[in-house]
């Protein structure tokens, strides 16, 4: 498996999606920097936690 495989890059090579790659951050295909692996379970779980905490804070503020 190579991260440069076209199968794993979407939206003109700007989004990396590979559920078999354990890395959360991968080097960008073009240019400098990093991008996230949008199929990584840890990333998805982290996003879900942030959304739930944000919604809970909104409810608390609305009721308080």
């Amino acid at each position: 498996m190579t991260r440069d495989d076209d199968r794993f890059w979407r939206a003109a090579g700007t989004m990396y999606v590979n559920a078999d790659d354990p890395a959360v951050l991968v080097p960008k295909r073009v240019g400098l920097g990093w991008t996230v692996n949008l199929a990584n379970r840890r990333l998805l779980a982290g996003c879900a936690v942030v959304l739930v905490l944000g919604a809970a804070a909104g409810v608390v503020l609305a009721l308080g």
Side-chain angles (χ1 to χ4, degrees):
M1 171 188 70
T2 176
R3 289 188 177 136
D4 198 37
D5 192 335
D6 289 335
R7 294 178 298 160
F8 305 127
W9 291 92
R10 308 283 195 279
T14 59
M15 296 187 327
Y16 182 72
V17 182
N18 183 356
D20 294 328
D21 189 344
V24 174
L25 293 174
V26 295
K28 284 188 175 183
R29 195 172 198 188
V30 177
L32 298 174
W34 298 83
T35 189
V36 295
N37 179 0
L38 295 172
N40 186 286
R41 291 180 188 259
R42 290 180 292 173
L43 175 72
L44 297 175
C47 288
V49 167
V50 168
L51 287 173
V52 167
L53 290 175
V59 168
V60 168
L61 290 174
L63 295 177

